[in-house]
Amino acid sequence: MNDNSTRAKPAYHHGDLPQQAHQLALDTLREHGDAAISLRALAKQIGVSAPALYRHFMDRESLLAELAITGFQALRKRLLAVDQAQPRQALIDIGLVYVSFAQEEPNFYRLMFGGRVLPKGVHPRLDTAGKSAFRVLENTIARAQQAGYIKPMPLMLVTAAAWSLVHGLAQLSIDGHLPITEAEPQLAQGVLTLLLDGAVADHEQHHEDNT
């Protein structure tokens, strides 16, 4: 007999309630998006009272903030794994990793960058996690500037331009707006290369003009 009311609930062990709620919320986020997450529903799934869960998460938004922090930590880890030996290639690879993360974790990505759900300045730990991931891109651009691959423009300006480009590309990709889905990896690399070539150091262009 298949009775949903008798379906086994996840085993709950005293002391790991926050971790279990976090994991269940993460699974829900990945499959259904942040709108499907409810503290009361999570408490029912785990087999505890809603007040027991509210002792660990002040409200639904605080739980979503913790999920977004997990996302930024995962993104930062992937960005840090990019080989920095060749500054120009490192910039391209950073962009590809960023877009790939969004494609693999679309609902995660939407939560992390959805300012409507988690406005900036409300959750300090979340803001710090986001800045830590952003700093990997900033440091990669700084190395490319030092190596002469990018014009000596203000670092924040170049970083903002690069971030805007990969973020826009990632958003278009996960929303299905790119014209040729099969060519997305090549498109991503091509767009990132255009950014680099457009910001190439002046002396390289002058050398080409004089030859």
Side-chain angles (χ1 to χ4, degrees), residues 162-209:
W163 189 23
S164 298
L165 187 149
V166 295
H167 175 69
L169 190 58
Q171 196 71 55
L172 287 170
S173 174
I174 64 177
D175 287 344
H177 294 310
L178 293 179
I180 308 175
T181 305
E182 294 77 9
E184 283 181 7
Q186 293 84 354
L187 176 61
Q189 181 155 349
V191 171
L192 292 162
T193 301
L194 283 175
L195 171 70
L196 279 171
D197 292 344
V200 69
D202 285 333
H203 70 82
E204 292 190 12
Q205 183 63 51
H206 291 162
H207 175 74
E208 291 177 3
D209 291 342

Coordinates of all heavy atoms in Angstrom, one line a residue, residues 162-209:
A162 N 34.1 43.7 -16.8 CA 34.2 42.2 -17.0 C 33.1 41.5 -16.3 O 32.5 40.5 -16.8 CB 35.6 41.8 -16.5
W163 N 32.8 41.9 -15.1 CA 31.7 41.2 -14.3 C 30.4 41.4 -15.0 O 29.6 40.5 -15.1 CB 31.7 41.7 -12.9 CG 30.8 41.0 -12.0 CD1 30.4 39.7 -12.1 CD2 30.2 41.4 -10.7 NE1 29.6 39.3 -11.1 CE2 29.5 40.3 -10.2 CE3 30.3 42.6 -10.0 CZ2 28.8 40.5 -9.0 CZ3 29.6 42.7 -8.8 CH2 28.9 41.7 -8.3
S164 N 30.1 42.6 -15.5 CA 28.9 42.9 -16.1 C 28.7 42.0 -17.4 O 27.6 41.5 -17.7 CB 28.8 44.4 -16.6 OG 28.8 45.2 -15.5
L165 N 29.8 41.8 -18.1 CA 29.8 41.0 -19.3 C 29.5 39.5 -19.0 O 28.5 39.0 -19.5 CB 31.1 41.1 -20.0 CG 31.2 40.4 -21.4 CD1 32.2 41.2 -22.3 CD2 31.7 39.0 -21.3
V166 N 30.2 38.9 -18.0 CA 30.0 37.5 -17.7 C 28.6 37.3 -17.0 O 28.0 36.3 -17.3 CB 31.1 36.9 -16.9 CG1 32.4 36.9 -17.7 CG2 31.3 37.6 -15.6
H167 N 28.2 38.3 -16.2 CA 26.9 38.1 -15.6 C 25.8 38.2 -16.6 O 24.8 37.4 -16.5 CB 26.7 39.2 -14.5 CG 25.4 39.2 -13.9 ND1 24.9 38.2 -13.0 CD2 24.3 40.1 -14.0 CE1 23.7 38.5 -12.6 NE2 23.3 39.6 -13.2
G168 N 25.9 39.1 -17.5 CA 24.8 39.2 -18.5 C 24.8 38.0 -19.4 O 23.7 37.5 -19.8
L169 N 26.0 37.5 -19.8 CA 26.1 36.3 -20.6 C 25.5 35.1 -19.8 O 24.7 34.3 -20.4 CB 27.5 36.0 -20.9 CG 27.8 34.9 -22.0 CD1 27.1 35.2 -23.3 CD2 29.3 34.8 -22.2
A170 N 25.8 35.0 -18.5 CA 25.3 33.9 -17.7 C 23.7 34.0 -17.6 O 23.0 33.0 -17.7 CB 25.9 33.9 -16.3
Q171 N 23.2 35.2 -17.4 CA 21.8 35.3 -17.2 C 21.0 35.0 -18.5 O 20.0 34.3 -18.5 CB 21.5 36.8 -16.8 CG 20.0 37.0 -16.3 CD 19.9 36.3 -14.9 OE1 20.6 36.6 -14.0 NE2 18.9 35.5 -14.8
L172 N 21.6 35.5 -19.7 CA 21.0 35.2 -21.0 C 21.0 33.6 -21.2 O 20.0 33.1 -21.7 CB 21.7 35.9 -22.1 CG 21.5 37.4 -22.2 CD1 22.5 38.0 -23.2 CD2 20.1 37.7 -22.6
S173 N 22.1 33.0 -20.8 CA 22.2 31.6 -21.0 C 21.2 30.8 -20.2 O 20.5 29.9 -20.7 CB 23.6 31.1 -20.6 OG 23.7 29.7 -20.7
I174 N 21.0 31.1 -18.9 CA 20.1 30.3 -18.1 C 18.7 30.6 -18.3 O 17.8 29.8 -18.0 CB 20.4 30.4 -16.6 CG1 20.2 31.8 -16.1 CG2 21.8 29.9 -16.3 CD1 20.5 32.0 -14.6
D175 N 18.4 31.8 -18.9 CA 17.0 32.1 -19.3 C 16.7 31.7 -20.7 O 15.5 31.9 -21.1 CB 16.8 33.7 -19.1 CG 16.8 34.1 -17.7 OD1 16.6 33.2 -16.8 OD2 16.9 35.3 -17.4
G176 N 17.6 31.1 -21.4 CA 17.3 30.5 -22.7 C 17.2 31.5 -23.8 O 16.6 31.3 -24.8
H177 N 17.9 32.7 -23.7 CA 17.8 33.7 -24.7 C 19.0 33.7 -25.7 O 18.9 34.4 -26.7 CB 17.8 35.1 -24.0 CG 16.6 35.3 -23.2 ND1 15.3 35.1 -23.7 CD2 16.5 35.8 -21.9 CE1 14.4 35.4 -22.7 NE2 15.1 35.8 -21.6
L178 N 20.0 32.8 -25.5 CA 21.0 32.8 -26.5 C 20.5 32.0 -27.7 O 19.9 31.0 -27.6 CB 22.3 32.1 -25.9 CG 23.0 32.9 -24.8 CD1 24.2 32.1 -24.2 CD2 23.4 34.3 -25.3
P179 N 20.9 32.4 -28.9 CA 20.3 31.9 -30.1 C 20.7 30.4 -30.4 O 19.9 29.6 -30.9 CB 20.8 32.8 -31.3 CG 22.1 33.4 -30.7 CD 21.8 33.6 -29.2
I180 N 21.9 30.0 -30.1 CA 22.4 28.7 -30.4 C 22.9 28.0 -29.1 O 24.1 28.3 -28.8 CB 23.5 28.7 -31.5 CG1 23.0 29.5 -32.7 CG2 23.8 27.2 -31.9 CD1 24.1 29.6 -33.8
T181 N 22.1 27.2 -28.5 CA 22.5 26.7 -27.2 C 23.7 25.8 -27.3 O 24.6 25.8 -26.4 CB 21.3 25.8 -26.6 OG1 20.1 26.6 -26.6 CG2 21.7 25.3 -25.3
E182 N 23.9 25.0 -28.4 CA 25.0 24.1 -28.5 C 26.3 24.9 -28.6 O 27.4 24.3 -28.4 CB 24.8 23.3 -29.8 CG 23.6 22.3 -29.7 CD 22.3 23.0 -30.0 OE1 22.3 24.2 -30.3 OE2 21.2 22.3 -29.8
A183 N 26.3 26.1 -29.1 CA 27.5 26.9 -29.3 C 27.8 27.8 -28.1 O 28.7 28.6 -28.2 CB 27.4 27.7 -30.5
E184 N 27.1 27.6 -26.9 CA 27.3 28.5 -25.8 C 28.8 28.6 -25.3 O 29.3 29.7 -25.0 CB 26.4 28.2 -24.7 CG 24.9 28.7 -25.0 CD 24.0 28.3 -23.8 OE1 24.4 27.9 -22.8 OE2 22.8 28.6 -24.0
P185 N 29.5 27.4 -25.1 CA 30.8 27.5 -24.7 C 31.7 28.4 -25.6 O 32.5 29.2 -25.2 CB 31.3 26.1 -24.6 CG 30.0 25.3 -24.5 CD 29.0 26.0 -25.3
Q186 N 31.6 28.1 -26.9 CA 32.4 28.9 -27.9 C 32.0 30.4 -27.9 O 32.8 31.3 -28.0 CB 32.2 28.3 -29.3 CG 32.8 26.9 -29.5 CD 31.8 25.8 -29.0 OE1 30.8 26.1 -28.5 NE2 32.2 24.6 -29.2
L187 N 30.6 30.6 -27.7 CA 30.2 32.0 -27.6 C 30.7 32.7 -26.4 O 31.2 33.9 -26.5 CB 28.6 32.0 -27.6 CG 28.0 33.4 -27.4 CD1 28.3 34.3 -28.6 CD2 26.5 33.2 -27.3
A188 N 30.7 32.0 -25.3 CA 31.3 32.6 -24.1 C 32.7 33.0 -24.2 O 33.2 34.1 -23.9 CB 31.1 31.7 -22.9
Q189 N 33.5 32.1 -24.8 CA 34.9 32.4 -25.0 C 35.1 33.5 -26.0 O 36.0 34.3 -25.8 CB 35.7 31.1 -25.5 CG 37.2 31.3 -25.7 CD 38.0 30.1 -25.5 OE1 37.5 29.0 -25.1 NE2 39.2 30.1 -25.9
G190 N 34.3 33.5 -27.0 CA 34.4 34.6 -28.0 C 34.1 35.9 -27.5 O 34.8 36.9 -27.7
V191 N 33.1 36.0 -26.7 CA 32.7 37.3 -26.1 C 33.8 37.8 -25.1 O 34.1 39.0 -25.0 CB 31.3 37.2 -25.3 CG1 31.0 38.4 -24.5 CG2 30.2 37.0 -26.4
L192 N 34.3 36.9 -24.3 CA 35.3 37.2 -23.3 C 36.6 37.7 -24.1 O 37.3 38.6 -23.6 CB 35.6 36.0 -22.4 CG 34.5 35.7 -21.5 CD1 34.7 34.3 -20.9 CD2 34.4 36.7 -20.3
T193 N 36.9 37.0 -25.2 CA 38.1 37.4 -26.0 C 37.9 38.8 -26.5 O 38.8 39.6 -26.6 CB 38.3 36.4 -27.1 OG1 38.5 35.1 -26.5 CG2 39.6 36.8 -27.9
L194 N 36.7 39.1 -27.0 CA 36.4 40.5 -27.5 C 36.6 41.5 -26.4 O 37.2 42.6 -26.7 CB 34.9 40.6 -28.0 CG 34.6 39.9 -29.3 CD1 33.1 40.0 -29.6 CD2 35.4 40.7 -30.4
L195 N 36.2 41.2 -25.2 CA 36.5 42.2 -24.1 C 38.0 42.4 -23.9 O 38.4 43.5 -23.8 CB 35.9 41.7 -22.8 CG 36.2 42.5 -21.5 CD1 35.6 43.8 -21.5 CD2 35.9 41.7 -20.3
L196 N 38.7 41.3 -23.9 CA 40.2 41.4 -23.7 C 40.8 42.2 -24.8 O 41.7 43.1 -24.6 CB 40.8 40.0 -23.6 CG 40.7 39.4 -22.2 CD1 41.1 38.0 -22.2 CD2 41.5 40.2 -21.2
D197 N 40.5 41.9 -26.1 CA 41.1 42.5 -27.2 C 40.7 44.0 -27.3 O 41.5 44.8 -27.7 CB 40.7 41.8 -28.5 CG 41.3 40.4 -28.6 OD1 42.2 40.2 -27.9 OD2 40.8 39.6 -29.4
G198 N 39.5 44.3 -26.8 CA 39.1 45.7 -26.8 C 39.8 46.5 -25.7 O 39.9 47.8 -25.8
A199 N 40.3 45.8 -24.6 CA 41.0 46.5 -23.5 C 42.5 46.3 -23.6 O 43.2 46.6 -22.6 CB 40.5 46.0 -22.2
V200 N 43.0 45.8 -24.8 CA 44.4 45.5 -24.9 C 45.2 46.7 -24.7 O 44.8 47.8 -25.0 CB 44.7 44.8 -26.2 CG1 44.5 45.8 -27.4 CG2 46.1 44.2 -26.2
A201 N 46.4 46.6 -24.1 CA 47.3 47.7 -23.9 C 47.6 48.5 -25.2 O 47.8 47.9 -26.2 CB 48.6 47.3 -23.2
D202 N 47.7 49.8 -25.0 CA 47.9 50.7 -26.2 C 49.1 50.4 -27.0 O 49.1 50.5 -28.2 CB 47.9 52.2 -25.7 CG 46.6 52.7 -25.4 OD1 45.6 52.2 -25.9 OD2 46.5 53.6 -24.6
H203 N 50.2 50.0 -26.3 CA 51.5 49.9 -27.0 C 51.4 48.7 -28.0 O 52.1 48.7 -29.1 CB 52.6 49.6 -26.0 CG 52.6 48.3 -25.3 ND1 53.0 47.1 -25.9 CD2 52.1 48.0 -24.1 CE1 52.9 46.1 -25.0 NE2 52.3 46.6 -23.9
E204 N 50.5 47.7 -27.7 CA 50.4 46.6 -28.7 C 49.7 47.1 -30.0 O 50.1 46.7 -31.1 CB 49.6 45.5 -28.1 CG 50.3 44.8 -26.9 CD 49.6 43.5 -26.5 OE1 48.6 43.1 -27.2 OE2 49.9 43.0 -25.4
Q205 N 48.7 48.0 -29.8 CA 48.0 48.5 -31.0 C 48.9 49.4 -31.8 O 48.9 49.4 -33.0 CB 46.7 49.3 -30.5 CG 45.9 49.8 -31.7 CD 45.3 48.7 -32.5 OE1 44.7 47.8 -32.0 NE2 45.5 48.8 -33.8
H206 N 49.7 50.2 -31.1 CA 50.6 51.1 -31.7 C 51.7 50.3 -32.5 O 52.1 50.7 -33.6 CB 51.3 52.0 -30.7 CG 50.4 53.0 -30.1 ND1 50.7 53.7 -28.9 CD2 49.2 53.5 -30.5 CE1 49.7 54.5 -28.6 NE2 48.8 54.4 -29.6
H207 N 52.1 49.2 -32.0 CA 53.1 48.4 -32.7 C 52.5 47.8 -34.0 O 53.2 47.8 -35.0 CB 53.5 47.2 -31.7 CG 54.4 46.2 -32.4 ND1 55.7 46.5 -32.7 CD2 54.2 45.0 -32.9 CE1 56.3 45.5 -33.3 NE2 55.4 44.5 -33.4
E208 N 51.2 47.4 -33.9 CA 50.6 46.9 -35.1 C 50.4 48.0 -36.1 O 50.6 47.7 -37.3 CB 49.2 46.3 -34.7 CG 49.3 45.0 -33.9 CD 47.9 44.5 -33.5 OE1 46.9 45.1 -33.9 OE2 47.9 43.5 -32.8
D209 N 50.1 49.2 -35.7 CA 49.9 50.3 -36.7 C 51.2 50.7 -37.4 O 51.1 51.2 -38.5 CB 49.3 51.5 -35.9 CG 47.9 51.3 -35.4 OD1 47.2 50.3 -36.0 OD2 47.4 52.0 -34.5

